[in-house]
């Protein structure tokens, strides 16, 4: 090899290093620009797919703090075709695989793992191989493994290069910190039973959206929902059954609310949905969508397994430039809900003067 050819290779190597560092800087900015937990997971997986040119990526995370295990979440799987049993597989935090990554927190290929007597035969590796994993990368935050990236083979079927493994290790460290921050933020702002945003978060975001309406002339609607005859339901079936109903109703709000809508728990069985940019017609349609979803759902009684059904009343109000504060908009939604309850229940009503 000539001196010029050797020099070109060295320059090409350093250009690649500089490019990778720039990429990591941009990725770091992107990951730290959001505290939306689900959006963050999706962003990390998409970055992995693009950077490694693979069609398969998944992320094992701790469902709850101090639970002692990692699990896949539905939104943390890309490309892998897994059965329900496979999706529910748990990687214990005290497993040999996680202990290994605690000592050596860097990306490793499945071929490398299969050369290690201490790891090659453990259940986690057997399962991950069956799943189609080709490279594993630990997520790290505060010196502790807080997740695991699982990636499939390249579309080109080429081996993973050392530079790629170094890149993924650095990316996983950035991702681990971002995920940790997002999880802490979620714990501080989410009602853990229903998965809805808490009352204080709702009031804060509603105020922000109302200010945006005043400045930019945009639209804003608010939905208030209430489970019909919920007190009687609790008295008849017990609070455990009541909690199951609240969880299932909350899921309908979360599913119906698009990414820019804010589902929250106002108090007790009263839930709400803040809808930035929505007209009254759109809010009414969304209210009906949620109401019908609740009407058609069947909830299993935790006490005896019997089928239980409930209905929902919905009140809708829209922002007015004359609104002084949150209270004005909330009061109109509450009055519309009151009207829905007292005109037969299981209906959606929009506030009118």
């Amino acid at each position: 090899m000539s001196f010029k050819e050797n020099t070109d290779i060295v320059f090409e190597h350093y250009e690649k290093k500089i490019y990778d560092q720039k990429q990591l800087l941009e990725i770091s900015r992107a990951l730290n620009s959001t505290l939306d937990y689900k959006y963050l997971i999706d962003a990390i997986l998409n970055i992995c797919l693009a950077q490694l040119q693979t069609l398969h990526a998944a992320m094992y995370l701790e469902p709850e703090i101090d639970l002692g295990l990692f699990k896949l979440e539905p939104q943390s799987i890309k490309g892998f075709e897994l059965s329900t049993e496979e999706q529910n597989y748990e990687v214990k935090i005290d497993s040999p695989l996680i202990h290994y990554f605690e000592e050596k927190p860097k990306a490793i290929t499945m071929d490398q793992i299969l050369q290690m007597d201490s790891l090659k035969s453990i259940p986690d590796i057997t399962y991950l191989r069956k799943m189609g994993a080709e490279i594993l990368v630990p997520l790290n935050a505060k010196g502790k493994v807080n997740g695991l990236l699982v990636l499939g083979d390249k579309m080109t079927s080429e081996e993973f290069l050392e530079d790629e493994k170094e890149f993924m290790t650095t990316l996983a460290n950035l991702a681990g910190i971002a995920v940790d921050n997002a999880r802490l933020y979620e714990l501080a702002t989410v009602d853990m039973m229903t998965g809805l945003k808490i009352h204080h978060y709702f009031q804060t975001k509603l105020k922000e959206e109302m200010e945006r309406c005043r400045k930019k002339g945009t639209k804003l609607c608010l939905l208030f929902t209430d489970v019909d005859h919920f007190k009687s339901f609790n008295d008849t079936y017990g609070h455990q059954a009541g909690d199951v109903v609240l969880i299932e109703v909350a899921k309908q709000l979360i599913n119906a609310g698009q990414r820019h809508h804010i589902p929250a728990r106002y108090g007790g069985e009263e839930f709400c949905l803040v809808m930035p940019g929505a007209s009254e017609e759109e809010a009414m349609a969304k209210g009906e969508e949620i109401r019908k979803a609740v009407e058609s759902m069947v909830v299993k009684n935790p006490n005896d397994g019997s089928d239980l059904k409930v209905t929902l009343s919905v009140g809708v109000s829209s922002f007015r430039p004359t609104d002084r504060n949150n209270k004005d908009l909330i009061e109109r939604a509450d009055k519309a809900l009151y009207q829905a309850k007292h005109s037969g229940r299981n209906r959606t009503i929009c506030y009118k003067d």
Side-chain angles (χ1 to χ4, degrees):
M1 185 182 293
S2 68
F3 176 76
K4 183 180 183 307
E5 287 174 328
N6 189 54
T7 304
D8 287 345
I9 290 172
V10 172
F11 271 119
E12 187 177 327
H13 173 76
Y14 280 109
E15 282 178 353
K16 176 73 166 55
K17 284 278 189 184
I18 292 168
Y19 175 78
D20 285 350
Q21 291 301 315
K22 286 181 177 177
Q23 284 284 92
L24 286 168
L25 184 61
E26 289 302 312
I27 289 168
S28 178
R29 285 174 180 161
L31 295 182
N32 286 293
S33 67
T34 180
L35 288 169
D36 186 319
Y37 189 66
K38 292 179 180 178
Y39 175 78
L40 183 63
I41 291 170
D42 193 60
I44 293 166
L45 292 175
N46 285 333
I47 290 166
C48 292
L49 294 174
Q51 291 296 327
L52 288 190
Q53 297 182 343
T54 178
L55 295 173
H56 306 87
M59 195 185 310
Y60 279 86
L61 296 165
E62 202 173 1
E64 298 174 27
I65 287 180
D66 293 331
L67 196 60
L69 56 86
F70 297 120
K71 285 186 70 173
L72 290 170
E73 295 182 31
Q75 74 271 16
S76 67
I77 308 168
K78 300 255 184 196
F80 288 113
E81 294 183 4
L82 306 175
S83 66
T84 303
E85 184 182 354
E86 288 171 330
Q87 286 186 35
N88 291 331
Y89 184 84
E90 299 171 351
V91 178
K92 300 290 191 296
I93 285 179
D94 60 357
S95 76
L97 180 62
I98 302 303
H99 282 314
Y100 173 83
F101 281 133
E102 294 278 5
E103 294 178 9
K104 298 180 180 179
K106 59 183 182 180
I108 186 169
T109 63
M110 195 57 75
D111 287 340
Q112 290 174 305
I113 290 174
L114 294 178
Q115 295 172 20
M116 301 179 190
D117 292 334
S118 60
L119 292 181
K120 66 181 182 181
S121 300
I122 66 172
D124 291 342
I125 296 304
T126 302
Y127 163 74
L128 291 169
R129 284 183 68 195
K130 181 183 175 185
M131 175 179 168
E134 288 294 330
I135 185 168
L136 306 179
V137 196
L139 271 64
N140 267 276
K142 300 170 186 174
K144 178 185 173 185
V145 173
N146 67 333
L148 185 65
L149 271 171
V150 179
L151 306 167
D153 56 2
K154 290 184 180 180
M155 289 183 282
T156 58
S157 299
E158 297 173 354
E159 291 185 359
F160 290 100
L161 304 174
E162 285 303 316
D163 281 355
E164 289 173 323
K165 287 191 279 186
E166 286 180 20
F167 184 93
M168 288 307 302
T169 298
T170 307
L171 170 61
N173 287 333
L174 295 172
I177 294 167
V179 164
D180 201 47
N181 290 339
R183 171 56 64 82
L184 290 173
Y185 181 72
E186 186 177 65
L187 287 172
T189 60
V190 172
D191 173 58
M192 299 315 293
M193 186 182 87
T194 61
L196 299 169
K197 293 296 184 180
I198 61 174
H199 184 93
H200 176 72
Y201 182 93
F202 157 73
Q203 293 283 6
T204 302
K205 293 301 290 185
L206 184 62
K207 183 179 179 181
E208 289 175 5
E209 293 302 333
M210 289 178 74
E211 284 298 321
R212 184 175 286 113
C213 288
R214 290 189 186 96
K215 290 178 181 177
K216 299 187 177 181
T218 53
K219 296 176 182 177
L220 171 67
C221 279
L222 176 64
L223 264 65
F224 256 41
T225 73
D226 191 73
V227 179
D228 296 327
H229 300 296
F230 189 67
K231 186 179 183 304
S232 298
F233 183 94
N234 265 343
D235 292 341
T236 304
Y237 300 106
H239 288 283
Q240 277 190 318
D243 287 348
V244 173
V245 163
L246 293 182
I247 290 167
E248 293 304 315
V249 171
K251 284 180 184 176
Q252 303 305 328
L253 262 81
I254 292 167
N255 292 338
Q258 298 167 5
R259 197 174 120 63
H260 55 282
H261 295 160
I262 305 159
R265 187 173 187 179
Y266 189 77
E269 73 276 16
E270 207 167 52
F271 300 159
C272 51
L273 186 69
V274 181
M275 299 181 65
S279 65
E280 281 189 359
E281 291 77 15
E282 290 168 329
M284 281 290 291
K286 184 63 68 177
E288 276 294 279
E289 178 188 333
I290 295 167
R291 184 192 65 77
K292 289 176 181 177
V294 171
E295 185 180 30
S296 63
M297 76 183 192
V298 177
V299 178
K300 290 293 181 184
N301 188 334
N303 300 311
D304 59 15
S306 60
D307 292 344
L308 301 174
K309 291 181 73 68
V310 294
T311 59
L312 196 72
S313 294
V314 185
V316 178
S317 65
S318 59
F319 172 80
R320 296 175 178 179
T322 54
D323 286 339
R324 296 160 297 173
N325 48 40
N326 290 9
K327 186 180 176 183
D328 293 342
L329 184 56
I330 291 170
E331 276 188 353
R332 290 199 301 278
D334 199 39
K335 286 178 180 178
L337 176 60
Y338 180 87
Q339 189 179 349
K341 301 284 278 188
H342 289 266
S343 58
R345 294 182 170 82
N346 191 25
R347 63 193 61 203
T348 303
I349 289 183
C350 184
Y351 178 85
K352 301 294 180 186
D353 288 325

